[in-house]
Amino acid sequence: MHSRLKRWFVSVSVVSTLCAGLTASADPLTGVYRGEVYSQPNAVNAYSTWLGFDVKMGQGHQAKDSWGNIENPGWQLGAWRTWVKAKPGRRFNYSVAMFPSGQGTLASCAAGAYDQRFKNLATNLVAYELQGTIIRLGWEFSGNWMPWYSGNGQQANFAACFRRIVTAMRTQQPNAGFEFDWNPNYDISAADLSATYPGDAYVDYIGLDMYDQGWNGAYPIPAGCTGSCALTRWQSVWNAQFAPALTKFKSFAQSHNKRLSVPEWGVNDAATHGGGDDTYYVQQMLAFIFNPANNVGYHSYFDIQAPDGHHQLSSADANGGNTFVTEFPNAAAAFKNFYAGLNPQPAQLSTTKATVSPATVTRGQSFNVTGTVTSSTARTLVMKYEIRNAANSALVTSAQYTNQAFTAGQTRSYTSAFTIPTSLGAGTYRVDTLVYTADWSQTLLYRNDTTFTAN
């Protein structure tokens, strides 16, 4: 999170506890921050639906208010376990605090005072089956809004603290496969990059966070400045701030033989000194991230409307559905179009609108859902119906058809029997129709336009 959002996320109330395999890819792993999934487990899934691409990494942030929320945040880890374990290949990206605000120092950490705290965290991550987590330890440490700020002569203590925590966690859980991201902001000086670096043995990723906020006078873009006028300003900020930073980090990572990461990035609204609906920024960022020469291991888009800046591109809403309307439609289209080009099998599919029989359903009694899927190419697919509460998108029941072999141009019909339990309330429900690749790795088609009443 960038500066002002840190202050927004300092304290989180503890809620009831909710109760990976990793996949190799030539492309960087795609992640997203959609808020903390303890409050909305479908938030990342709704983003995948919008993107038309199966997002395998979800991002969470620790609260910085207490040691309990650092070493044993079960209320948070339980929900992330549910999301990660729901589908093969998913991974957790976790921003981990070095100590709570006002309750620790880098010098004490460097001396080993908090080793046991982080051994406890390692044990708890494994207990919640979150092996393989990417840990953004002391994230954005070059920002003076962080308790573990590495400035003011604290560079050596920060590096030593990072080493102590990594050693404690790896010693406690040597087979957990944790990876550690050393993650300052993009504008850290070259001198501080070197002074705060803990050593190659303790770092798996070298990360930078970079939002589209300009400080060279080009932003905010004046009203009426569109087309080539806006493009000139977007390019000015990119050339002055972002391109040099990416070059700096790329060179530093290559000198240490490490993968880069971009754990947080996003467009910004004009009110927070951003470029607004900046297609140039989105295109340049994705081009850099997916260029193999830059060796980027993963990236995570910050897809929320934060109090200190708006960034959301997707249609994902607060209930895990897709009703939100972005204020950055052109940037959103550029983002989606890029990902459409990544799909090895274009979504040349169509479905009929699902029908429900009888039209009015009685809870506790069976009813049928019928629809068809047509594929213009020969391939094997997974077809799935989901019955959800239309008010809150809660999943009621589902039926799936795996290994569905289509010939080119073939239409196949699917009818499934469902029952709304009497334990659920009367009201409006809906049918979601989803089509996936045979290995479930990509969502190729999604529609949710059939609603029905259950009495």
Side-chain angles (χ1 to χ4, degrees), residues 11-348:
S11 179
V12 182
S13 61
V14 177
V15 298
S16 299
T17 300
L18 305 175
C19 297
L22 308 183
T23 56
S25 172
D27 288 331
L29 185 64
T30 292
V32 68
Y33 180 69
R34 278 291 307 148
E36 301 303 322
V37 300
Y38 64 83
S39 61
Q40 180 43 258
N42 295 321
V44 179
N45 301 343
Y47 179 83
S48 292
T49 297
W50 167 79
L51 188 57
F53 188 89
D54 191 25
V55 175
K56 294 295 183 93
M57 187 178 73
Q59 185 179 94
H61 296 80
Q62 283 194 339
K64 302 186 288 289
D65 55 355
S66 70
W67 276 114
N69 277 333
I70 293 174
E71 61 185 305
N72 188 22
W75 54 275
Q76 191 176 31
L77 301 183
W80 278 112
R81 177 200 179 278
T82 298
W83 183 81
V84 168
K85 301 296 286 185
K87 201 168 187 180
R90 285 181 172 176
R91 197 169 189 188
F92 185 32
N93 179 247
Y94 200 27
S95 304
V96 170
M98 286 178 152
F99 47 82
S101 297
Q103 300 176 53
T105 66
L106 287 171
S108 295
C109 176
Y114 313 141
D115 286 5
Q116 188 58 50
R117 305 278 193 180
F118 290 96
K119 290 181 179 181
N120 293 343
L121 173 61
T123 295
N124 286 318
L125 283 166
V126 171
Y128 283 97
E129 300 183 83
L130 291 170
Q131 295 91 334
T133 292
I134 298 174
I135 295 172
R136 295 172 64 207
L137 178 58
W139 74 102
E140 293 189 354
F141 58 83
S142 61
N144 61 10
W145 55 86
M146 285 302 194
W148 45 83
Y149 174 48
S150 63
N152 296 333
Q154 292 298 307
Q155 290 90 341
N157 277 335
F158 176 85
C161 174
F162 196 101
R163 289 192 292 268
R164 292 294 307 217
I165 294 173
V166 171
T167 299
M169 294 186 70
R170 286 178 173 167
T171 300
Q172 184 71 10
Q173 296 292 340
N175 300 315
F178 299 137
E179 290 191 302
F180 292 87
D181 194 329
W182 179 79
N183 175 205
N185 290 292
Y186 78 95
D187 55 356
I188 188 173
S189 70
D192 275 358
L193 269 179
S194 297
T196 54
Y197 189 66
D200 292 344
Y202 304 92
V203 172
D204 297 289
Y205 299 93
I206 291 173
L208 70 152
D209 290 0
M210 193 164 77
Y211 291 86
D212 186 26
Q213 291 176 294
W215 310 107
N216 69 344
Y219 290 174
I221 296 175
C225 179
T226 60
S228 60
C229 174
L231 178 60
T232 297
R233 288 172 176 263
W234 292 336
Q235 290 173 331
S236 171
V237 173
W238 182 269
N239 293 334
Q241 293 179 205
F242 303 144
L246 292 172
T247 299
K248 174 179 64 180
F249 271 83
K250 176 183 176 180
S251 298
F252 188 81
Q254 287 179 338
S255 71
H256 291 277
N257 195 29
K258 298 296 178 183
R259 290 169 291 178
L260 277 175
S261 70
V262 189
E264 292 183 30
W265 67 283
V267 297
N268 255 85
D269 60 293
T272 57
H273 238 268
D277 195 6
D278 188 345
T279 55
Y280 187 78
Y281 167 81
V282 168
Q283 291 163 346
Q284 293 299 308
M285 286 295 290
L286 289 172
F288 179 89
I289 288 165
F290 281 84
N291 183 345
N294 298 325
N295 196 25
V296 176
Y298 77 90
H299 78 105
S300 185
Y301 189 85
F302 206 74
D303 192 61
I304 66 167
Q305 302 288 83
D308 65 333
H310 293 176
H311 317 290
Q312 185 168 345
L313 299 179
S314 81
S315 60
D317 59 37
N319 296 315
N322 287 91
T323 63
F324 181 82
V325 178
T326 181
E327 65 196 77
F328 312 110
N330 295 312
F335 199 102
K336 285 193 70 171
N337 288 340
F338 181 90
Y339 270 86
L342 294 181
N343 284 330
Q345 293 180 305
Q348 297 171 323

Side-chain angles (χ1 to χ4, degrees), residues 356-362 366-368 452:
V356 174
S357 178
T360 299
V361 170
T362 300
S366 179
F367 63 96
N368 289 332
F452 61 95

